[in-house]
């Protein structure tokens, strides 16, 4: 039955030739038997190679859990739920040595493995481990060790106490808490270990401290994370955590004071990264262009999109009878159409239903039969990620979890008055739903779960260009079907990503300051001060280089689609194309292109 579901012979809206073929098949029982036998054989063959690939991947994840067990736990390996990372002496060198040993083993597997799909997955894992080795070496050469423990602790417990998890996993959080606080034998307090790792290299004057704006933001958010951890334990309904959490809170407060007294004076005032570090960041996020190339392409795309937006603004102003039709005043006018807070979540949910109806009607992509989830962010989540995001499901031993579109409306670091009006007005709800829910990220991660995508393609191949490129591409294929106001702010999201392509490298190469980037976003893109500040922080210290990956990934997919359309002509079926793209998992761009041109097109 799973094979039939995968083929989806009876999906409404398939081409007439497929429906006719189905009718002919149904008249011949022997044909049905042959078909089912072939489908079952194909499904078993697929299961065999994925099972073999996953065996290799699990060996790597299990080995790496020795130093980073929380990471393995977050993917669903519950045997590591109670374990915690340790920051003992030579942690950086031990991490490098561990990954080098794993690469050596995978190369041995590659030499004997025959299945080309498994070989491809082995190469994905080898490349990912080598990238981790290079990143650790580069970071160690340039930076003083710094751990934002408050956020790390919050993310650790949020992952384990996720309401989507099996509640039987929750008690492990008590053991994890005891170990972080140093109550468990053989586990010194995590704060003590972090101080030791920073202190032992404080004398190396050539090492760069954290950017001052980053450290000040982390210190300001510390209390929010601690409150967020307590809220997670209360929500989980666990007993007996209060004493250990009080101890950890006390240790974290002491750590915060130590950071303020010892590390803040060492913080750098210039957010710019060394050229080697920024180049490596871009590579890790899936971006192969140089900063100069990013700036050039981003500036061109920005102006092209601005022209399209101006044209739409004229049409919207004419339809509404507004005299002022300039782009920025019109955008501000539309942003004033704010949705009351208690009506915002229901509106996004209704937008999702409308978007799904369009997807089915236009046969854009195959949708799951179950609903997507949209929820509002907690204050601690907004502090950790001050922009709306997709919370992915666990990818191993998944009990029926799916991703969640988490709607963020504030930037807590700027205070209670810093509310983002960018995501709570009528016009933007279309575009954000398309990007974060369907046909964007929620569908992307749902496909990973439902197709049982190999761990190599779902985990080790992950980078921002692969993931965010699809989100931006999803906006593009929905553009023509949205109302005019929705189209305008759909383009607004695209122009913001084009702007990132030149703002991020300009900040990181010294051609623009972090504050100038924030001001540009407020004055030229009508962003709220709260959202513009979050954006500028992303370029300067949260994830330097990552913001460029959205438009780069989008360009890759649009270029690939053009190649396929040229090859197939009138035979091009966009739903089949989109389904195939999603079925490949998170393949790197070149591997995805090879798969599409060598297998999908023929």
């Amino acid at each position: 039955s799973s094979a039939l579901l995968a083929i989806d012979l009876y999906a409404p809206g398939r081409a007439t030739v497929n429906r006719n073929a189905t009718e002919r098949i149904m008249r011949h029982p022997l044909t049905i038997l042959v078909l089912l036998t072939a489908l079952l054989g194909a499904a078993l063959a697929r299961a065999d190679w994925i099972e073999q690939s996953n065996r290799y991947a699990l060996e790597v994840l299990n080995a790496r859990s020795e130093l980073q067990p929380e990471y393995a736990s977050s993917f669903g390996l519950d045997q590591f739920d109670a374990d915690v990372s340790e920051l003992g002496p030579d942690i950086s060198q031990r991490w490098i040595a561990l990954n080098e040993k794993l690469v050596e083993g995978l190369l041995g597997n590659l030499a004997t493995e025959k299945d080309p799909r498994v070989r491809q997955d082995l190469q994905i894992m080898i490349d990912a481990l080598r990238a981790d080795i290079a990143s650790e070496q580069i970071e160690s050469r340039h930076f003083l060790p710094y751990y934002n423990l408050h956020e790390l602790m919050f993310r650790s417990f949020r992952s384990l106490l996720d309401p989507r998890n099996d509640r039987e996993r929750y008690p492990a959080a008590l053991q994890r808490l005891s170990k972080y606080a140093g109550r468990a034998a053989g586990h010194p307090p995590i704060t003590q270990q972090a101080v030791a790792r920073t202190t032992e290299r404080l004398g190396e004057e050539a090492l760069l401290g954290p950017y001052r704006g980053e450290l000040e933001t982390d210190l300001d958010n510390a209390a929010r994370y601690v409150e967020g951890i307590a809220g997670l334990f209360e929500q989980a309904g666990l007993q007996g955590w209060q004493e250990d959490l009080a101890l950890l809170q006390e240790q974290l407060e002491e750590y915060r004071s130590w950071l303020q007294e010892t590390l803040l004076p060492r913080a750098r005032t210039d957010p710019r990264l060394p050229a080697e570090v920024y180049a490596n960041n871009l590579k890790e996020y899936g971006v192969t262009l140089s900063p100069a190339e990013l700036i050039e392409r981003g500036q061109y795309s920005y102006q092209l999109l601005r022209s399209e937006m101006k044209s739409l603004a004229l049409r919207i102003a004419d339809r509404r009878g507004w005299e002022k039709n300039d782009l920025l005043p019109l955008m501000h006018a539309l942003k004033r159409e704010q949705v009351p807070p208690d009506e915002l979540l229901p509106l996004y949910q209704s937008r999702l239903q409308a978007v799904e109806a369009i997807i089915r009607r236009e046969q854009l992509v195959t949708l799951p039969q179950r609903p997507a989830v949209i929820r509002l962010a907690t204050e601690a989540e907004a502090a950790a990620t001050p922009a709306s995001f997709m919370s992915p499901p666990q990818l191993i031993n998944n009990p029926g979890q799916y991703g969640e579109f988490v709607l963020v409306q504030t930037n807590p670091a700027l205070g209670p008055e810093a509310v983002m009006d960018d995501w709570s007005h009528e016009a933007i709800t279309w575009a954000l739903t398309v990007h974060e829910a369907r046909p964007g990220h929620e569908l992307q991660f749902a496909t990973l779960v439902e197709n049982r995508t190999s761990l190599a393609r779902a985990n080790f191949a992950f980078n921002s260009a692969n993931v965010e490129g699809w989100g931006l591409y999803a906006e593009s294929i929905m553009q023509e079907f949205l109302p005019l106001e929705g189209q305008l702010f759909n383009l607004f999201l695209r122009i913001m990503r084009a702007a990132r392509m030149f703002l991020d490298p300009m900040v990181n190469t010294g051609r623009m300051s972090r504050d100038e980037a924030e001001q540009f976003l407020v004055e030229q893109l009508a962003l709220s001060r709260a959202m513009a500040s979050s954006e500028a922080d992303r370029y300067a210290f949260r994830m330097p280089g990552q913001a460029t990956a959205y438009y780069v990934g989008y360009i890759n997919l649009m270029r690939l689609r053009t190649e396929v359309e040229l090859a197939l002509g009138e035979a091009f079926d966009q739903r089949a194309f989109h389904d195939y793209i999603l079925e490949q998992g998170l393949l790197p761009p070149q591997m995805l292109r090879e798969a599409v041109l060598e297998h999908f097109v023929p």
Side-chain angles (χ1 to χ4, degrees):
S1 62
S2 61
L4 283 175
L5 288 172
I7 297 298
D8 197 15
L9 286 174
Y10 310 111
R14 287 283 191 189
T16 304
V17 63
N18 289 347
R19 289 198 296 271
N20 291 343
T22 302
E23 291 169 5
R24 289 196 300 274
I25 288 169
M26 293 302 290
R27 298 192 194 107
H28 299 282
L30 182 59
T31 306
I32 296 174
L33 180 60
V34 172
L35 173 64
L36 289 175
T37 302
L39 289 173
L40 183 59
L44 290 174
R46 180 176 185 272
D48 284 346
W49 82 259
I50 290 179
E51 186 177 338
Q52 177 60 26
S53 172
N54 285 350
R55 276 197 288 268
Y56 292 131
L58 286 170
E59 287 177 9
V60 173
L61 287 171
N62 286 331
R64 281 158 64 102
S65 68
E66 176 187 340
L67 298 179
Q68 292 187 351
E70 299 97 331
Y71 181 76
S73 169
S74 70
F75 275 91
L77 293 175
D78 54 12
Q79 65 266 38
F80 301 111
D81 284 351
D83 297 334
V84 300
S85 298
E86 57 95 2
L87 304 176
D90 301 320
I91 183 62
S92 179
Q93 291 81 353
R94 284 186 288 136
W95 178 247
I96 291 170
L98 172 62
N99 284 300
E100 287 176 337
K101 182 179 179 181
L102 290 170
V103 167
E104 183 180 352
L106 290 174
L107 287 171
N109 299 141
L110 188 63
T112 59
E113 180 59 53
K114 304 299 183 185
D115 191 299
R117 295 159 298 187
V118 180
R119 289 178 58 82
Q120 189 176 55
D121 280 7
L122 285 168
Q123 191 62 57
I124 287 171
M125 289 187 278
I126 290 167
D127 292 343
L129 293 177
R130 283 174 170 167
D132 282 354
I133 293 167
S135 295
E136 187 69 27
Q137 292 171 333
I138 291 170
E139 293 283 324
S140 183
R141 276 200 300 271
H142 290 281
F143 294 110
L144 190 65
Y146 162 58
Y147 305 93
N148 180 8
L149 288 183
H150 296 82
E151 182 178 344
L152 289 173
M153 295 295 95
F154 171 72
R155 289 186 182 275
S156 170
F157 289 116
R158 184 183 67 174
S159 173
L160 183 52
L161 298 176
D162 191 315
R164 294 171 292 176
N165 285 348
D166 187 334
R167 297 185 67 86
E168 292 183 359
R169 298 178 63 185
Y170 287 3
L174 299 175
Q175 298 177 62
R176 191 179 282 190
L177 175 60
S178 175
K179 292 173 182 177
Y180 283 141
R183 284 280 183 89
H187 291 274
I190 190 72
T191 53
Q192 178 182 314
Q193 297 178 61
V195 168
R197 297 294 75 74
T198 303
T199 301
E200 66 191 10
R201 302 197 70 187
L202 271 175
E204 299 180 43
E205 296 296 331
L207 294 179
L208 298 173
Y211 170 54
R212 189 177 187 88
E214 173 186 12
L215 187 51
E216 288 174 341
T217 299
D218 294 345
L219 293 172
D220 182 64
N221 280 330
R224 296 185 181 93
Y225 292 130
V226 171
E227 291 173 10
I229 294 170
L232 290 169
F233 276 96
E234 289 172 358
Q235 182 182 5
L238 293 171
Q239 301 297 320
W241 51 269
Q242 289 83 352
E243 187 176 342
D244 280 354
L245 183 57
L247 176 59
L248 180 62
Q249 289 175 340
E250 181 182 329
Q251 293 167 347
L252 286 172
E253 182 55 34
E254 292 174 357
Y255 181 65
R256 183 183 182 280
S257 298
W258 181 84
L259 290 173
Q260 201 154 12
E261 295 168 7
T262 306
L263 199 56
L264 193 58
R266 183 69 181 269
R268 67 187 197 276
T269 57
D270 187 346
R272 285 181 296 175
L273 296 173
E276 181 187 30
V277 176
Y278 188 61
N280 185 66
N281 280 12
L282 292 174
K283 182 180 178 182
E284 283 223 311
Y285 292 126
V287 177
T288 57
L289 300 175
S290 69
E293 290 171 324
L294 287 168
I295 293 170
E296 180 182 337
R297 297 189 189 189
Q299 289 174 339
Y300 165 77
S301 297
Y302 175 83
Q303 290 299 336
L304 188 68
L305 290 163
R306 197 172 182 84
S307 297
E308 292 185 52
M309 293 177 71
K310 287 179 178 179
S311 176
L312 270 174
L314 292 174
R315 295 173 62 192
I316 293 170
D318 180 64
R319 177 176 292 185
R320 290 183 171 230
W322 291 351
E323 291 185 7
K324 291 186 177 180
N325 56 19
D326 290 342
L327 177 59
L328 286 174
L330 183 134
M331 290 177 68
H332 282 296
L334 290 174
K335 287 184 69 176
R336 285 193 288 271
E337 296 177 351
Q338 290 288 304
V339 181
D342 61 334
E343 298 176 16
L344 188 60
L345 187 56
L347 177 60
Y348 269 98
Q349 290 166 338
S350 69
R351 288 288 189 259
L352 177 59
Q353 292 177 359
V355 166
E356 288 180 326
I358 294 170
I359 293 171
R360 292 189 178 98
R361 184 191 73 214
E362 301 298 330
Q363 301 183 52
L364 297 178
V365 66
T366 301
L367 291 175
Q369 296 303 309
R370 43 151 203 87
V373 176
I374 307 175
R375 67 172 176 84
L376 300 177
T378 65
E379 183 176 15
E381 285 177 321
T385 310
S388 295
F389 62 93
M390 164 58 52
S391 175
Q394 69 179 53
L395 297 176
I396 304 172
N397 303 323
N398 188 296
Q401 276 192 17
Y402 289 96
E404 295 176 332
F405 165 17
V406 183
L407 183 61
V408 176
Q409 296 175 266
T410 62
N411 186 345
L414 300 182
E417 303 302 318
V419 176
M420 298 175 183
D421 63 0
D422 308 273
W423 316 115
S424 51
H425 62 91
E426 289 268 356
I428 194 62
T429 56
W430 294 97
L432 194 60
T433 301
V434 166
H435 183 92
E436 299 292 355
R438 294 177 178 174
H441 292 322
E442 191 277 342
L443 179 59
Q444 192 175 33
F445 282 97
T447 305
L448 294 181
V449 172
E450 293 179 354
N451 281 5
R452 301 291 189 266
T453 304
S454 72
L455 293 174
R457 296 166 192 245
N459 177 6
F460 291 95
F462 183 100
N463 66 43
S464 290
N466 299 350
V467 176
E468 298 298 350
W470 173 260
L472 196 48
Y473 177 84
E475 297 168 19
S476 177
I477 63 175
M478 290 295 300
Q479 172 73 12
E480 63 190 285
F481 307 114
L482 303 180
L484 288 182
E485 291 83 356
Q487 289 184 33
L488 179 68
F489 277 88
N490 205 39
L491 288 179
F492 157 76
L493 289 186
R494 204 179 309 167
I495 199 174
M496 190 169 78
R497 277 54 167 271
R500 286 171 171 175
M501 277 184 67
F502 59 85
L503 292 176
D504 189 297
M506 289 179 75
V507 168
N508 281 283
T509 56
R511 293 177 57 177
M512 175 182 278
S513 71
R514 178 245 173 248
D515 292 347
E516 287 171 338
E518 177 182 324
Q519 197 61 28
F520 176 90
L521 293 165
V522 171
E523 294 178 353
Q524 301 301 322
L525 287 177
L527 282 182
S528 67
R529 181 66 63 179
M531 185 61 207
S533 177
S534 175
E535 274 288 297
D537 286 349
R538 181 196 290 246
Y539 315 150
F541 63 84
R542 283 192 179 274
M543 292 183 286
Q546 189 268 350
T548 66
Y550 291 69
Y551 210 83
V552 169
Y554 167 67
I555 290 173
N556 289 338
L557 279 174
M558 293 297 276
R559 186 170 60 236
L560 179 58
R561 174 171 176 152
T562 302
E563 285 189 89
V564 175
E565 287 183 348
L566 287 170
L568 294 179
E570 293 183 359
F572 177 75
D573 179 338
Q574 67 173 341
R575 183 168 74 170
F577 174 67
H578 296 151
D579 287 352
Y580 187 83
I581 293 291
L582 291 173
E583 287 165 6
Q584 303 315 300
L586 305 176
L587 280 182
Q590 186 56 35
M591 283 188 177
L592 177 61
R593 180 176 179 272
E594 290 172 2
V596 169
L597 297 182
E598 294 176 11
H599 300 286
F600 175 76
V601 169

